[in-house]
Each structure stands twice: as C-alpha cells, then as structure tokens.
C-alpha cells in the first residue's frame, strides 16, 4: 500500500530550502531600498506647501506594502517550518505553511486593496478641498456674504435719499397733514422696502416727528441719533448706521431747515453672523492649507502601519491554528491508515474539548463503529438478498401473467418476461424508464387509483385488452395483468350467437302474416273509414315499417350472429322521440303521454332505426311498469324530455309513475335478465348496446314521488365525427365504449 504522506509530498509544491534565505534577504533589501527611495521623494520636493498627487502617493504606499507583507509571510513560513519539525507527524510543515499562506493571502490581498482604495479616496478628497477651485469657492462665499451686507446697506442709503427728494416734491402739492400726503408717504416707505420712516425736526436736543410710518410701534424720536444730526450739519450728505438688526439712515429733508428724513430696514441678524463666520472659515482654511502635505503623509503612514500589523496578526493566527490542528490530525491520519488497511476497530483518543476538531474525532470514531456494524449487516443482507433474488427471478420467469414493479417516482424497477412480451418491450431497456413511456395506459390506470381495471392498449400493432390488478406498498406499485382479449371476443361471439338464434326463432315466423295483414287492412278499409284524421294510415304504415325493420334485423342476426351495424346520419331526435311516443300513445289512450323539448334542438348524428328501436323499448317498459300498478292507482303518466346540456351533450329522459325499479336494478341491462313472466330479458340489453354504439351512456334512477327515470346522454361532438360511417362490430362492454369515446374526443377513433 502506498504511503499517503509520500503521495502528498510528491503532489505539493515545495520551495527549495537552499533558496529561502536568499529570497528573505532579497525581500528585506527591496523593502529597505523602497523605504529610502520614498523618503527622498517626499523630502526632495521644493514645494512643501503643495499636496502630492494621488497616483504618486498610492504608488509609494503599494511599493512599501508589498515587500513588507512578503517579508512577514516569509518570516511566518520560517516559524511554521520550525514548529512542524517538532511535530510528531513527521511531515515537512506543509499544513503550517499552507495555513500561513492562506491566512496571509486572505489578509494581504483585501488589505492591500482596501488600503489603496482608502488612500486614493483620501487623496482625491483632500485634493478637492485643497484645490484652487475649493479655495475660490470659499473666497467667493465670503465675498458674497460681504457684498450682500454692503448692497443692503447701500440700498437703504440710496432709497432714503431718493425718498426725501420725492417727498419734498410732493409737499408742493399737498400739505403735510393731508391724507393724500400720508398715503403717499406710506407708499414710498413700502415701495422702497423700508421697515419704518419719519420726517423729523431737530431743534437743539429736541426731536419732533411730523409724519411717520411706524408698523413696529417704536419710539421713532428715540431712534434719531444726535451725533448723526451733527454730522449732517457738518456737511455730510447722509448718515447710515447698523443698530439692533436694522440699517438706519438719516438725510436732510430738501427745502426745510433742521428737517430730516429718517428710515430703517430690518434685516436678519444671521447675515452679520454669516459674514463673520465666512471670514473666520476662510482664515481657518488658509491655515489648514499650509499643513495639508504633513497631514497627507501622516495618514498614508498610518495606513501602511495598520496594514502591516493586520498581516502580521494573520500570520500569528495561522501559526496558532496550525499548531492546534496538527496534534489531533496526526492521530486521525494514523487511524485512517488502519481503516484503509481494513482494520475497522481503529479509534482515536477521546477529545478533551468539544470544538470542531473534537467533533471531528468523535465523528471519526462513530464512523468507524458504524462502518463495522454496517459492513457486517451488509454482508448478511447481501447473502439474504441473493437468495431471495434467485427465488423471485425463478418465480417471475415461470408465471404467464405480466408483472411490473414501479417505484414511487413511477419508474419501472422490475419487469418479467411475460410483461415484456405482452407490451412488446425489451425488458432490459424498460427497467429504469418511466411507466408512462413503457405503457401509458398502465400509467393512467395507476393515476385512476383503481385496484382492478380493464386496460385497452396497442402492442406490436395489435389491440389488446388486459385485466390489471394494482397492489400498493409504501408508495411503490406492483401491477399484475393478463391478456383477456381473446376471452372477451369469445364471450361476445357466444352471447350474440345465442341472442341471434333466439330472435330468429321467436320473431321471424310471425313477421310475414303481420305485414300482410297490415297491408290488407290499409287497402281494404283505408278509404271506408269516415272522418279519419290520418291516424289509421299512420298506424298501418307504422306496422308495415316496423315489420320491415324487424325483418331486416332478424336477417342480419341470422346472417352474422350479431347486432346490426348502425349507420350514422344526421337526424332530428325530436322526430324520433315523437314517433316512439305516438306509437304507444295510440295503443294506450288511458295513459297520459307528454313530450317536452327545448326550442332549436341541434340535429343528432345517429342510426334513426336503431335509436328509434331503443327509445320505443324504453317507452314500452315504462308502459308495462304503469300497467303493473294496482287498480286504484292514480292515472298513469309517461314524460319524455329532450334538453341540451353544456359541453355539447344532449340528454333524453323518460320518466313514469309506474311500479319502479326492481331489487336487482344493477342487473337489469344484462341479457336474459327480466322480472316479467313473458319477458325475454333482451330489451334493455339491446337498448344499452345501441346507446353504447352511439358512444353514449344510460342510467336508471327513482322518480320523485314513485316510478322510474331513464336518462340517456349523447355527446354531439363525438357523434358529429361519425356521420356516414358504420360503427365497430360486435358487442363491446362499457369499458370498450368509454375507451372509444375517449379516443374519439382526442381526434382518433379506432374501429
């Protein structure tokens, strides 16, 4: 057996030991050279106040990071090799080295990328704030604040002088006390965006206001500054002051001695504060610009140191984890080698801690114990399975019935030779395939949930009828089926042959006398009956026609020993029902016959003669049920109803208030099953056969209030596709008719 450790040594890449010191020395020399070069680059720039470009700083940072990180990894490798040499495993330290390499890469690569990104982000941010554009922005903001203040101050001054001129011109037309002048004065104040105004006269130290606009209700006379008045008297054109959040202006009033115009505008005190702050910010910014390069170098140096510390910490963590893993791994390797050699009793020492390695050791011990138990159980189970398999294969190969085992996923597990022959499939290719691909009809039988069913399918180009039994076991299925195709054909032939012989014997001889008698009655008495409404002619014609139909039926029974084939043509079901009711209505005037039909009933593709025969038999049974009641029973009623149902179906219902269905109602459609003394038991059997030949269904139920209800349902869409065709031969059971109806609905009719 090849030693696993030696295989690992050959497959893993190992750096030659003699080159490691040279590589470490070379990396150290590169780190020192890069550090010296970075110092000269940073100190050699003549413009100490100017920031370094972001690409240059990032390049210097990466150039210092890479050799120093590599040096840390090499030092960690040296430490890992030294610790591995002291390990009892005797390996050359590959686990230690790999852990150091993995942790170093996990720490170095993201840290390098994050450091570069942080440096560039900081550099471009600093470059933006210390750029000429940022400086211009702050200076412009300060200038805007100063200009806004000066502009508002000058606006108050100019508006006050212009207002004094306008008021002096207006006083030439209106007096000082007039309403018009007061309104004009107020309009001038508000139009020039002034908060308050007044015309005052100063005599000595006394101030007297003659006209004023005072929305703030202030003492205007107290707002006049006497030093300002003295400045005006000294020759200044105007005086403007900033007091209590207001710009106050005082100008001489034209044409009046010692008269002055006072005005003020309220402004936001924050304007003054903003002007002061903008100047302070500008001064602080200029101070920060002078220290920008020093901050830039310090930030990147901090990034370099933190990155190296993180990589160094990762190397230390890798060494510690490697030491912890190597100790139990040595035991696991030794025990695994024993298990590989076939010794399933190998175990490792019980772990002292419940960490991941301890859980691994416990799992290993549990695994070896389970392997030992399962191996023993598998050996015994294989022996038992082999013996059972041989028995099952011998049994399945000897039975004639087809057997298929299907799993919960509907895939074929086992198929015997008989099943493969019946389905015309290769047994080896069928195993593992879905049952729907091997035999879709059997898959449909599983879906239906029936325990026993009859399945029609095509195998090898031949139609087969299978009797299927389904057995379920924990989600799996076992299908057992036999080919009963020939058996059904034999039964049908025998049954209909017997029916044909009985019909030919019972009704063939009376047909000719009946027909001749009816024809003679029509010729002799047809013209002699007075006040005839045509009923006599209809009755005799009906007798002749029915006798002809019976003769043809008997001829076909005698010739082919089976029911006549229906010939499908488009007919009016209302006319067929009307003729059947009329025939019995004339014969039984004491019974109330009712025919109800919806308007605009669609035509039906059917064999008029056969369906008329079926409906006549049903109405005849209803008449016999009504006549079998006691004498004191209410008047007999028979109702025939035609109505169209949804889905293209036509429903024909015959209900009566007769004696009702017999106890053996489930067998009333079987041949020769009758409850009447003179009944042959063929009427309802023939009716059921005719309905099935028309791909319909017939059902029997109790009429509310007493009696029987017979319901026939026809699928108009299925019958429409059969116009001009002949139906399939011989009698087919209900399963066959349902199968043919399903095939017809799918667009394929097998005849």
């Amino acid at each position: 057996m090849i030693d696993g450790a030696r295989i690992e040594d050959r497959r893993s890449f190992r750096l030659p030991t003699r080159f490691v010191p040279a590589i470490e020395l070379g990396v150290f020399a590169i780190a020192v050279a890069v550090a010296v070069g970075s110092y000269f680059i940073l100190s050699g720039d003549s413009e100490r106040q100017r920031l370094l470009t972001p690409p240059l700083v990032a390049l210097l940072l990466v150039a210092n990071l890479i050799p120093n990180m590599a040096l840390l990894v090499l030092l960690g490798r040296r430490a890992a090799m030294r610790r591995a040499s002291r390990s009892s495993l005797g390996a050359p330290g590959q686990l230690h080295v790999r852990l150091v390499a993995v942790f170093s890469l996990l720490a170095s690569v993201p840290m390098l990328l994050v450091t570069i990104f942080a440096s560039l982000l900081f550099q471009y941010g600093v470059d933006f704030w210390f750029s000429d554009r940022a400086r211009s922005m702050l200076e412009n903001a300060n200038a805007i604040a100063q200009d806004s203040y000066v502009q508002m101050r000058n606006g108050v001054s100019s508006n006050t002088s212009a207002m004094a001129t306008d008021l002096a011109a207006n006083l030439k037309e209106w007096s000082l006390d007039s309403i018009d002048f007061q309104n004009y004065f107020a309009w001038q104040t508000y139009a020039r965006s002034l908060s308050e105004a007044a015309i005052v006269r100063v005599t000595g130290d006394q101030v007297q206001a003659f006209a004023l606009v005072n929305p703030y209700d202030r003492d205007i006379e107290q707002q006049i500054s006497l030093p300002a008045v003295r400045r005006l008297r000294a020759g200044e054109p105007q005086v403007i002051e900033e007091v209590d959040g207001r710009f106050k202006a005082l100008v001489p009033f034209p044409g009046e001695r010692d008269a002055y115009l006072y005005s003020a505008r309220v402004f936001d005190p924050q304007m003054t504060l903003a002007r002061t702050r903008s100047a302070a910010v500008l001064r602080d910014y200029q101070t920060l610009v002078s220290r920008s390069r020093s901050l830039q170098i310090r930030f990147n140096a901090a990034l370099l140191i933190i990155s190296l510390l993180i990589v160094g910490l990762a190397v230390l963590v890798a060494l510690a984890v490697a030491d912890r893993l190597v100790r139990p791994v040595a035991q696991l390797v030794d025990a695994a080698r024993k298990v590989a050699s076939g010794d399933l009793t190998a175990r490792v020492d019980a772990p002292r801690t419940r960490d991941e390695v301890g859980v691994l050791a416990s799992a290993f011990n549990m695994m070896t114990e389970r392997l030992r138990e399962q191996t023993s159980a598998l050996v015994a189970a294989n022996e038992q399975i082999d013996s059972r398999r041989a028995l099952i294969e011998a049994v399945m190969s000897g039975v004639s019935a087809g057997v298929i085992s299907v799993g919960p996923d509907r895939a074929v597990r086992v198929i015997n030779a008989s099943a493969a022959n019946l389905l015309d499939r290769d047994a080896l290719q069928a195993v593992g395939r879905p049952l729907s691909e091997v035999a879709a009809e059997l898959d449909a039988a599983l879906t239906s949930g029936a325990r026993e069913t009859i399945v029609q399918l095509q195998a090898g180009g031949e139609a087969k009828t299978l009797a299927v039994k389904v057995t379920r076991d924990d989600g799996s299925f076992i299908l057992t089926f036999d080919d009963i195709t020939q058996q059904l054909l034999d039964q049908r032939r025998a049954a209909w042959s017997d029916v044909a012989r009985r019909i030919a014997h019972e009704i063939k001889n009376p047909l000719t006398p009946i027909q001749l008698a009816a024809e003679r009655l029509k010729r002799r008495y047809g013209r002699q009956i007075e006040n005839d409404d045509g009923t006599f002619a209809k009755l005799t014609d009906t007798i002749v026609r029915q006798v002809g139909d019976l003769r043809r039926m008997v001829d076909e029974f005698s010739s082919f020993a089976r029911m006549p084939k229906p010939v499908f043509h488009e007919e009016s079901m209302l006319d067929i029902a009307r003729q059947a009711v009329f025939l019995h209505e004339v014969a039984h005037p004491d019974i109330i016959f009712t025919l109800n039909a919806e308007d605009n009933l669609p035509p039906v593709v059917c064999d008029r003669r056969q369906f008329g025969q079926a409906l006549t038999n049903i109405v005849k049974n209803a008449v016999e049920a009504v006549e079998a009641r006691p004498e004191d029973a209410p008047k007999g009623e028979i109702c025939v109803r035609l109505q169209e149902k949804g889905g293209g179906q036509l429903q024909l219902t015959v209900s009566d208030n007769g004696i009702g269905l017999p106890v053996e109602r489930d067998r009333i459609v079987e041949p020769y099953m009758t409850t009447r003394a003179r009944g042959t038991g063929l009427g309802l059997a023939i009716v059921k056969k005719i309905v099935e030949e028309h791909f319909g269904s017939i059902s029997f139920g109790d009429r509310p209030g007493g009696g029987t209800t017979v319901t026939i349902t026809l699928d108009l869409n299925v019958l429409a596709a059969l116009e001009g065709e002949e139906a399939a031969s011989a009698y087919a059971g209900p399963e066959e008719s349902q199968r043919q109806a399903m095939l017809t609905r799918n667009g394929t009719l097998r005849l």
Side-chain angles (χ1 to χ4, degrees), residues 307-438:
S307 301
L308 294 177
L309 287 177
I310 292 176
V311 174
L313 181 62
V315 172
L316 293 178
V317 170
L319 292 173
V321 172
D323 290 339
R324 186 176 181 182
L325 291 177
V326 165
R327 288 190 296 270
V329 166
Q331 297 181 0
L332 286 172
V333 169
D334 182 67
R337 289 172 179 170
K338 294 180 181 179
V339 172
S341 62
D343 182 11
L344 296 180
T345 61
R347 301 291 185 272
V348 296
D349 296 336
R352 299 179 181 179
T353 58
R354 298 299 299 173
D355 57 2
E356 289 79 5
V357 177
V359 172
L360 177 61
S362 300
F364 180 86
N365 291 336
M366 186 181 300
M367 178 192 68
T368 53
E369 179 63 25
R370 293 291 299 275
L371 282 175
R372 187 184 64 80
E373 296 174 356
Q374 292 176 359
T375 301
S376 302
L378 284 174
V379 171
N382 284 335
E383 295 175 355
Q384 186 177 7
I385 289 173
D386 290 338
S387 61
R388 289 183 178 180
R389 182 181 301 160
L391 176 61
I392 292 174
E393 290 178 353
V395 172
M396 291 185 64
S397 62
V399 298
S400 60
V403 180
I404 297 179
S405 175
V406 181
D409 56 350
R410 296 287 182 92
V412 176
R413 291 180 176 177
V414 179
I415 179 171
N416 69 343
S418 298
N421 293 332
L422 289 175
L423 300 178
D424 193 25
R425 299 285 184 178
D426 184 14
L428 296 179
Q429 295 180 357
V431 174
R433 294 177 58 190
L435 182 61
S436 58
E437 296 181 5
V438 177

Side-chain angles (χ1 to χ4, degrees), residues 618-640:
I618 294 174
V619 177
K620 173 178 174 295
N621 286 345
V623 170
E624 293 176 353
V626 170
E627 292 178 342
R629 299 179 306 163
E631 295 181 355
D632 57 347
K635 193 175 182 63
E637 297 179 359
I638 297 176
C639 178
V640 179

Side-chain angles (χ1 to χ4, degrees), residues 144-192:
I144 289 173
Q146 299 298 332
D147 291 342
S148 298
Y149 177 85
V150 173
Q151 184 177 3
M152 184 177 290
R153 179 185 178 96
N154 293 339
V156 173
S157 175
S158 60
N159 284 327
T160 302
S161 299
M163 182 177 173
T165 303
D166 294 340
L167 291 176
N170 188 265
L171 282 176
K172 294 179 180 180
E173 298 178 6
W174 297 320
S175 63
L176 189 64
D177 298 329
S178 66
I179 297 300
D180 293 334
F181 178 78
Q182 295 293 333
N183 291 336
Y184 182 73
F185 186 26
W187 178 83
Q188 281 282 339
T189 303
Y190 290 113
R192 298 182 183 280

Side-chain angles (χ1 to χ4, degrees), residues 538 540-550 552 579:
K538 291 181 180 179
T540 55
D541 290 341
T542 300
I543 293 173
V544 173
R545 185 173 60 254
Q546 295 295 330
V547 169
D549 292 343
L550 286 173
R552 285 190 297 271
Q579 290 182 6

Side-chain angles (χ1 to χ4, degrees), residues 46-81:
S46 58
E47 297 181 10
R48 296 298 182 87
Q49 301 299 329
R50 186 175 181 84
L51 287 173
L52 297 171
T53 60
L56 177 60
V57 175
L59 180 61
L60 293 176
L61 186 61
V62 172
N64 283 275
L65 272 175
I66 292 177
N68 283 282
M69 286 182 176
L71 186 60
L72 288 175
V73 172
L74 290 173
L75 293 177
R77 181 184 182 279
R78 178 179 287 273
M81 296 292 291

Side-chain angles (χ1 to χ4, degrees), residues 651-674:
Q651 189 177 84
L652 189 149
T653 305
V654 179
S655 58
D656 63 75
N657 60 347
I659 59 175
L661 294 170
V663 178
E664 304 90 348
R665 61 178 61 191
D666 295 335
R667 300 179 57 236
I668 59 177
V669 294
E670 294 181 3
Y672 314 122
M673 194 287 170
T674 180

